[in-house]
Each structure stands twice: as structure tokens, then as C-alpha cells.
Amino acid sequence: MSQAIHTVGVVGAGQMGNGIAQVAAAAGLSVRIHDVDHARIEAGLSAIDQRLGRLVSNERMSEDDRKATFERLSAANTIDDLADADLVIEAATENEKVKAAIFTDLCAKLNKDAILATNTSSLSITRLAAGTDRPERFVGIHFMNPVPKMKLVEVVRGIATDDATFEAVRDFVGALGKTMTLSEDFPAFIVNRILLPMINEAVATLHEGVGSVESIDTAMTLGANHPMGPLTLADFIGLDTCLSIMRVLHDGFGDPKYRPCPLLVKYVDAGWLGKKSGRGFYDYSGEKPVPTR
Ligand SMILES: CC(=O)CC(=O)SCCNC(=O)CCNC(=O)[C@H](O)C(C)(C)COP(=O)(O)OP(=O)(O)OC[C@H]1O[C@@H](n2cnc3c(N)ncnc32)[C@H](O)[C@@H]1OP(=O)(O)O
Ligand SMILES: NC(=O)C1=CN([C@@H]2O[C@H](COP(=O)(O)OP(=O)(O)OC[C@H]3O[C@@H](n4cnc5c(N)ncnc54)[C@H](OP(=O)(O)O)[C@@H]3O)[C@@H](O)[C@H]2O)C=CC1
């Protein structure tokens, strides 16, 4: 039998962290959610509350289950509040220094048997693990966005991740009702190694004037049956996250085919990060997103 996981800590209450917290609480686990300040935690909990409310109004969840799910969630105002977690999943900004500092703080507080996981989209699990006191109990658990809706979770073993940790995480992912794929620890793993160069190419297609935002997205939704066009998806993921992933691919493989499109760099420099900042390839200030090029 694998190591039991009853209490889960989530660090980072943004779009991924609050989605992970929701699905873990809905699966019956006790979940503590932490972020840099209380307002961020409250915003994450409020996003979950609204989604659970919609599930009830769509008759996909009973009112009793909604209440029980929400009661299993609590705010962790400090890292100390995560001390008794069996598993902590870090879902903070895609920045290696930020993540490494979080793991240093966590290691000082957690039980020695607790599993540490990162939801990183691209960074080396092996290198993040090597900076902790427990590389054998460190693993990548890469959820897809939007977490409550997407069926896949990529599990990424670092070079030191032991079998007991892998088995506990495999069972955890199964208990959430998700399907797991196993990826070796190479830059951006499987999904983003394939998906992000496609998004980067869509930005290059826009940059070169081959098509407008609308024509590129329409081409790929109607022409390739993608649920979202690549520029809508880039805005949805966050252009900062897309750029970070392209940089990890470019640095990690040293292959010019992964060069981030200069237009993507310019948008991030402008603070146009997509849906979360109100503007990316679309402007989200009105009722409907409006293409910006
Ligand atoms: C970057 C990385 O590291 C890895 C990644 O995650 S890459 C990104 C992977 N994700 C994708 O590729 C998503 C592609 N898009 C889609 O699959 C679909 O457009 C979608 C599922 C997001 C929305 O589907 P849709 O039918 O157009 O929209 P809609 O009917 O409004 O919503 C469908 C469901 O998604 C949910 N949803 C939509 N946006 C959501 C969000 N931001 N957060 C949570 N749930 C969301 C809705 O609540 C709704 O749920 P129910 O069916 O339970 O009511
Ligand atoms: N977006 C996506 O589609 C996907 C993203 N991921 C990965 O998930 C992670 C989170 O991404 P996402 O949710 O989109 O990002 P968001 O920007 O929505 O959320 C990140 C959250 O982490 C907070 N944060 C930053 N530093 C710290 C810290 N030191 N301690 C605690 N919290 C902190 C941020 O606060 P503040 O804003 O104040 O800095 C923010 O609230 C990234 O590693 C990303 O690559 C994985 C799959 C899909």
C-alpha cells in the first residue's frame, strides 16, 4: 500500500493553485492554501466558491457536497500552517528562484516524510529537488489548466524520486479522478514540449503578418478542431508563463527552433500577460474579448 495522503498543502493561490485545491477538496482531502498575502488566498478561495456554486446550479454537485467540499478548504496564512501536510504542491509563479525559496521554507517546517511536489510547467524537477533536504520525496505533479475540467496530470520523476513517492502520487492523482501520464525529467516534459512551440509559432505567424489574431485562432479552431485557438490559449495560460516555458526549452536544449518569438517577449515586457492582466492578444476590458491585431 502506498503512503496515505490525507492533508494537502497548496502554495500559490492563482489559477492553478486554486484549481488544484478545489479538486483535492472535492476528492475528500483536507486542503490548506497559502500565498504571499491573505488577499490572494481569499481571492483563490472565492474563485473556488463561485465554481462550486455553478456546479450546484448546473445540478452537477449537491448542496451538501458543495458545503462539505468548501469546509475541507482552509487558508494557511503562514508556511507554519502547512506543517502537518502529507503532501505540499507548489503552484507559485514559474520562476526557479521563487520556487527554490518556497521549498527551503517548507523543508524547515514539514514532517520528514512529507512529499514535496511542484506544478512547474517546465523547470527541472531534478534541480529543484537537489536544493531540498528530500530529493527522493520530491516529484513533479503537473496539472493542466483549467484544473477542474482537464483530465490529464503529468507526473514527472526527478532522477532521485523514489518508488514509494511515485506510487503515493500515482494513487493521489487517481483519487482525484484524473488520468496520469509519466514523463521523464527533460525541459517542459511532454505536453508543453509539444504545445508551446505550436503557440510560439502562432505568435510568429501573427508577427510576420501572415494572419490576424482572429484568422489564426479561427484557422486552428475550425481547421484543426482545437477547442481554443492558440492565441486565446496563450492568453488563457498567461503570456509570462508561455515565455518562461519557451526560455526553458531554448536554454535546456540549446536548439534555435525553440527561440521565443520577439513579439511574445514584447507583450510580456509591456505587462500584457493575457486574461489575468486584462490584455494580451485580446483585450478583456469589455463584455467580449476583442482581438488587438
Ligand atoms: C501551460 C501548462 O503548463 C499546461 C497546460 O495547462 S496547457 C493548457 C491545457 N488546456 C487547454 O488546452 C484547454 C483548451 N480549452 C478547452 O479545453 C476548452 O476551451 C475549455 C475546457 C477551457 C472550456 O470549454 P468550453 O466548452 O469552451 O467552455 P465552457 O462551456 O464555458 O466551459 C466548459 C467547462 O470548463 C469550465 N471552465 C472554463 N474555464 C475555466 C476556468 N478558467 N477554470 C475552471 N473551469 C473552467 C467551465 O466551468 C465548464 O465547466 P462545466 O462543464 O463543469 O460546467
Ligand atoms: N497557467 C497555466 O496554464 C499553467 C500553469 N502551470 C504552472 O503553475 C504555476 C502557477 O501558474 P499560474 O497559477 O498560472 O500563475 P498565477 O500567476 O495565476 O498564480 C501564481 C500565484 O503564486 C503567487 N506567488 C508568487 N510568489 C509566491 C511565493 N513566494 N509564495 C506563495 N505564493 C507565491 C502569486 O502571487 P503574486 O501574483 O502576488 O506574485 C500568484 O498568486 C506555474 O509554475 C506555472 O508554470 C502549470 C500548468 C498550467
Side-chain angles (χ1 to χ4, degrees):
M1 213 179 70
S2 67
Q3 184 180 334
I5 292 169
H6 302 292
T7 303
V8 178
V10 176
V11 178
Q15 55 179 341
M16 294 306 291
N18 71 55
I20 295 166
Q22 177 184 330
V23 296
L29 303 169
S30 170
V31 181
R32 318 234 159 103
I33 184 158
H34 174 73
D35 203 302
V36 276
D37 65 41
H38 191 68
R40 293 255 178 227
I41 302 173
E42 285 302 316
L45 288 170
S46 151
I48 298 172
D49 196 22
Q50 282 177 24
R51 285 197 301 267
L52 293 177
R54 273 204 305 273
L55 289 175
V56 175
S57 44
N58 294 340
E59 298 180 5
R60 289 161 185 242
M61 187 181 253
S62 69
E63 174 53 25
D64 286 352
D65 284 349
R66 184 202 65 77
K67 203 161 166 274
T69 298
F70 203 69
E71 279 170 1
R72 284 191 284 271
L73 288 154
S74 60
N77 288 316
T78 68
I79 287 270
D80 294 44
D81 297 332
L82 303 176
D84 65 346
D86 305 305
L87 165 70
V88 176
I89 305 173
E90 169 280 316
T93 314
E94 187 74 347
N95 175 307
E96 190 157 347
K97 280 197 182 134
V98 168
K99 290 183 187 291
I102 290 170
F103 288 123
T104 301
D105 289 351
L106 283 168
C107 285
K109 305 289 177 192
L110 296 180
N111 293 328
K112 67 175 183 26
D113 292 336
I115 296 174
L116 274 181
T118 173
N119 185 52
T120 179
S121 294
S122 59
L123 296 166
S124 166
I125 304 303
T126 300
R127 201 166 54 235
L128 284 170
T132 73
D133 61 0
R134 62 194 79 197
E136 66 290 349
R137 281 192 296 285
F138 193 102
V139 66
I141 310 182
H142 182 211
F143 289 84
M144 304 294 135
N145 187 12
V147 179
K149 203 64 206 165
M150 302 297 281
K151 296 191 178 77
L152 185 80
V153 176
E154 267 186 314
V155 173
V156 188
R157 287 183 78 148
I159 201 164
T161 310
D162 66 17
D163 288 345
T165 300
F166 168 68
E167 283 156 19
V169 164
R170 179 199 58 200
D171 293 351
F172 165 73
V173 170
L176 303 186
K178 305 284 187 195
T179 299
M180 186 202 89
T181 48
L182 178 62
S183 171
E184 289 300 321
D185 183 23
F186 285 101
F189 323 125
I190 297 173
V191 171
N192 288 335
R193 165 96 176 253
I194 299 168
L195 183 65
L196 263 294
M198 193 267 298
I199 288 176
N200 194 47
E201 199 59 29
V203 182
T205 308
L206 178 70
H207 190 204
E208 288 166 21
V210 181
S212 64
V213 168
E214 202 166 12
S215 54
I216 291 166
D217 274 352
T218 304
M220 294 306 285
T221 47
L222 300 186
N225 256 5
H226 289 197
M228 279 176 171
L231 300 172
T232 300
L233 183 56
D235 276 1
F236 182 56
I237 291 170
L239 303 189
D240 52 342
T241 302
C242 291
L243 179 59
S244 298
I245 298 169
M246 286 313 297
R247 286 189 165 140
V248 167
L249 282 165
H250 196 220
D251 294 348
F253 291 114
D255 187 328
K257 78 178 176 184
Y258 297 118
R259 184 179 71 104
C261 175
L263 187 63
L264 178 60
V265 177
K266 199 184 270 189
Y267 269 56
V268 174
D269 285 346
W272 295 353
L273 306 182
K275 217 171 167 187
K276 65 182 167 187
S277 72
R279 184 184 173 129
F281 295 110
Y282 292 83
D283 179 338
Y284 298 91
S285 56
E287 232 165 65
K288 275 181 140 191
V290 177
T292 55
R293 275 172 185 253

